[in-house]
Amino acid sequence: MYHKESVRIHKTLLVELDSLKGETTFRIGNISIQVEGKDGIGGLIEEWFGIWADKHRFNITNPKKQGSSQEFPDYYIGKDQSLLEVKTFDFSASANFDLANFESYCESVAHMPERVDSDYLIFAYRLEKSALKIENVWLKKIWEITCPSERWALKTQTKRDVIYNIRPANWYSDKTKYKTFASKQDFINALFKTQQDYTGSSYKTLYLENLSKMNKQ
Amino acid sequence: MYHKESVRIHKTLLVELDSLKGETTFRIGNISIQVEGKDGIGGLIEEWFGIWADKHRFNITNPKKQGSSQEFPDYYIGKDQSLLEVKTFDFSASANFDLANFESYCESVAHMPERVDSDYLIFAYRLEKSALKIENVWLKKIWEITCPSERWALKTQTKRDVIYNIRPANWYSDKTKYKTFASKQDFINALFKTQQDYTGSSYKTLYLENLSKMNKQ
């Protein structure tokens, strides 16, 4: 189900997991400080991952490093240019990263159904004082890390009745009220049902048309 | 006018200025990254300063390191426990740090007139890619780094008619419309005139009473 290069990356990260420790050091002149603040750590782990993957000669490319300003993906993977997204979260809190802007995601999935098949590589870190440790790494599909919510068929970040982002389920916990979706189809149904309930119409028909074209290619 | 220990600290920093270069390094396993983000740099320079001053055996103490949760000062200085505040700003932008919460400052100055005499040690830094450089350090009194504004007798951060913080003048620039105050008295007058105009009353009388008590001690 996952791209074979993603699987190799994930396995290698798990093999190295015990050594994935580090810290942030701030220096002026000959005085150095171990940084305890969490600001920006997610972005630094994502940047670190790109260098780590290059050093291991995995077949991934970062479109932003090639001058693209596109929003997604974080990486193209393998010869077939599959999509890989990298996410991080503080394991001492709940996973609360943005999977995607809700409306942009509906639109891009409708025009480009293969986006639903993106692989997600997710890093959980912990910072104790200044000591950083990667606690776990998951390889997931979007329907394995999303769920329904009280309010919508798909859990989203909603403020004052406005939907902003698609937010993750607690897929790594047993103690969660809402379980992740059982299949890609369940996720797609929840995505477009949420769009229908929210805006009064949905891109589901457009998605199905484009999916059918894609499958004929 | 400034505390003699503040003057020694300031002079030593200016002597060392050319060597006040550094960077932030993020490491996981055997891969390190030079950090280019500016998040949190001000706080790190303040923390660095405390260690730098200890190494140089300057006579300053950080009340927060002794378990105090008080808002000010950043440091007590000298045997007489004078007040020292440390501020930082990105020299590629304008000085925009908060000098103090406006209402808290009015109240604390009224009850403790010596707060107006705090020394301010101000670091201007520049970050080019990941290279950090302290460009300048000033030692100032509050009336030397504050000014009037279009709206109030004292320049403040005001949003939707609510005053939040006292904000600095561009004391280091010739090209500024509002010059800094000529004296402590001008600053005090502007502070309490702003409070009067903003709230309909001011603590000026209380300040003068407490100032007179202080001077009799």
Side-chain angles (χ1 to χ4, degrees):
Chain A
M1 168 162 81
Y2 312 107
H3 193 284
K4 66 180 198 297
E5 194 74 351
S6 303
V7 172
R8 283 180 56 216
I9 287 172
H10 182 230
K11 279 188 179 168
T12 307
L13 285 165
L14 290 182
V15 166
E16 292 188 8
L17 194 60
D18 283 346
S19 69
L20 300 184
K21 296 174 183 167
E23 71 287 300
T24 307
T25 307
F26 175 79
R27 181 188 69 85
I28 298 180
N30 54 12
I31 295 174
S32 289
I33 296 170
Q34 303 299 94
V35 179
E36 297 185 10
K38 289 177 181 180
D39 284 354
I41 286 212
L44 292 170
I45 295 173
E46 289 168 32
E47 197 180 333
W48 168 87
F49 167 71
I51 301 171
W52 176 92
D54 282 348
K55 285 209 176 179
H56 284 72
R57 301 186 170 274
F58 286 111
N59 186 0
I60 72 174
T61 53
N62 180 342
K64 285 170 200 85
K65 290 228 165 156
Q66 303 182 325
S68 167
S69 61
Q70 67 196 43
E71 279 265 309
F72 74 93
D74 290 331
Y75 294 94
Y76 288 111
I77 188 154
K79 284 185 191 163
D80 52 345
Q81 301 275 286
S82 288
L83 311 178
L84 176 67
E85 302 291 349
V86 177
K87 300 290 174 186
T88 65
F89 71 101
D90 179 354
F91 204 37
S92 64
S94 284
N96 64 345
F97 49 80
D98 294 332
L99 278 157
N101 174 278
F102 175 72
E103 295 195 68
S104 309
Y105 190 84
C106 290
E107 197 174 331
S108 76
V109 162
H111 288 97
M112 197 184 142
E114 65 268 34
R115 186 175 178 188
V116 180
D117 295 308
S118 297
D119 287 343
Y120 286 80
L121 192 65
I122 305 159
F123 293 84
Y125 66 87
R126 210 184 283 271
L127 192 69
E128 286 186 356
K129 292 268 189 178
S130 62
L132 177 70
K133 170 97 187 69
I134 303 295
E135 296 280 351
N136 209 341
V137 187
W138 294 267
L139 180 60
K140 292 286 184 186
K141 293 291 189 183
I142 196 163
W143 58 91
E144 297 178 309
I145 52 173
T146 48
C147 64
S149 70
E150 196 82 32
R151 175 79 184 270
W152 305 108
L154 176 66
K155 180 181 170 184
T156 59
Q157 175 198 33
T158 302
K159 285 189 278 192
R160 295 198 203 108
D161 292 333
V162 176
I163 297 184
Y164 291 88
N165 293 299
I166 301 174
R167 284 280 172 92
N170 292 333
W171 74 89
Y172 48 86
S173 164
D174 292 334
K175 285 182 267 176
T176 185
K177 193 171 161 192
Y178 292 99
K179 292 208 183 313
T180 54
F181 296 109
S183 66
K184 172 159 85 173
Q185 199 51 57
D186 284 1
F187 167 77
I188 287 288
N189 291 341
L191 178 73
F192 291 122
K193 175 162 196 325
T194 303
Q195 190 187 28
Q196 180 71 46
D197 293 346
Y198 180 53
T199 67
S201 67
S202 99
Y203 295 142
K204 191 166 190 180
T205 312
L206 180 60
Y207 163 78
L208 291 171
E209 284 168 10
N210 282 320
L211 183 67
S212 135
K213 278 185 212 163
M214 192 179 91
N215 290 337
K216 280 179 196 150
Q217 281 175 346
Chain B
M1 171 165 78
Y2 311 109
H3 193 284
K4 67 180 199 297
E5 194 74 352
S6 303
V7 171
R8 284 180 56 215
I9 288 173
H10 182 230
K11 279 188 179 165
T12 308
L13 284 165
L14 290 183
V15 166
E16 293 188 8
L17 195 61
D18 283 348
S19 70
L20 300 184
K21 296 174 183 167
E23 71 287 300
T24 307
T25 307
F26 175 79
R27 180 187 69 87
I28 298 180
N30 54 11
I31 296 174
S32 289
I33 296 170
Q34 302 300 93
V35 180
E36 297 184 11
K38 288 177 182 181
D39 284 354
I41 285 211
L44 292 169
I45 294 173
E46 290 168 31
E47 197 180 332
W48 168 86
F49 167 71
I51 301 171
W52 176 91
D54 282 348
K55 287 208 176 181
H56 284 73
R57 300 187 171 273
F58 286 112
N59 186 0
I60 72 173
T61 53
N62 180 341
K64 285 170 201 82
K65 290 229 165 152
Q66 304 184 324
S68 167
S69 61
Q70 66 196 43
E71 280 263 311
F72 75 93
D74 288 332
Y75 293 95
Y76 288 111
I77 188 155
K79 282 185 191 163
D80 52 344
Q81 302 274 287
S82 287
L83 312 177
L84 176 67
E85 302 291 349
V86 177
K87 299 290 174 186
T88 63
F89 71 100
D90 179 354
F91 204 37
S92 64
S94 284
N96 65 344
F97 49 80
D98 294 333
L99 278 158
N101 174 278
F102 175 73
E103 296 195 67
S104 309
Y105 189 84
C106 291
E107 198 175 330
S108 75
V109 162
H111 288 97
M112 198 183 141
E114 66 269 34
R115 188 176 177 187
V116 181
D117 295 308
S118 297
D119 287 342
Y120 286 81
L121 191 66
I122 306 159
F123 293 83
Y125 65 86
R126 211 183 282 274
L127 191 68
E128 285 185 356
K129 291 269 188 179
S130 63
L132 177 69
K133 170 96 185 71
I134 304 296
E135 296 280 351
N136 209 342
V137 187
W138 294 267
L139 179 60
K140 292 287 185 186
K141 292 291 188 184
I142 197 164
W143 57 90
E144 297 178 307
I145 52 173
T146 49
C147 64
S149 71
E150 197 82 31
R151 175 76 185 272
W152 305 108
L154 175 66
K155 180 180 170 185
T156 58
Q157 175 198 33
T158 302
K159 285 189 279 192
R160 295 198 204 109
D161 291 332
V162 176
I163 297 185
Y164 292 88
N165 293 300
I166 301 174
R167 284 282 172 88
N170 293 333
W171 74 89
Y172 48 85
S173 164
D174 292 333
K175 285 183 267 176
T176 184
K177 193 170 160 194
Y178 293 99
K179 292 208 185 310
T180 54
F181 296 109
S183 67
K184 173 159 87 174
Q185 198 51 57
D186 284 1
F187 167 77
I188 288 288
N189 290 341
L191 178 74
F192 290 122
K193 175 160 196 328
T194 303
Q195 191 187 28
Q196 181 71 45
D197 293 346
Y198 179 54
T199 68
S201 67
S202 99
Y203 294 142
K204 190 166 191 183
T205 311
L206 180 60
Y207 164 77
L208 290 171
E209 283 168 10
N210 282 320
L211 183 66
S212 136
K213 277 184 212 164
M214 194 180 89
N215 289 338
K216 280 181 198 151
Q217 279 176 350

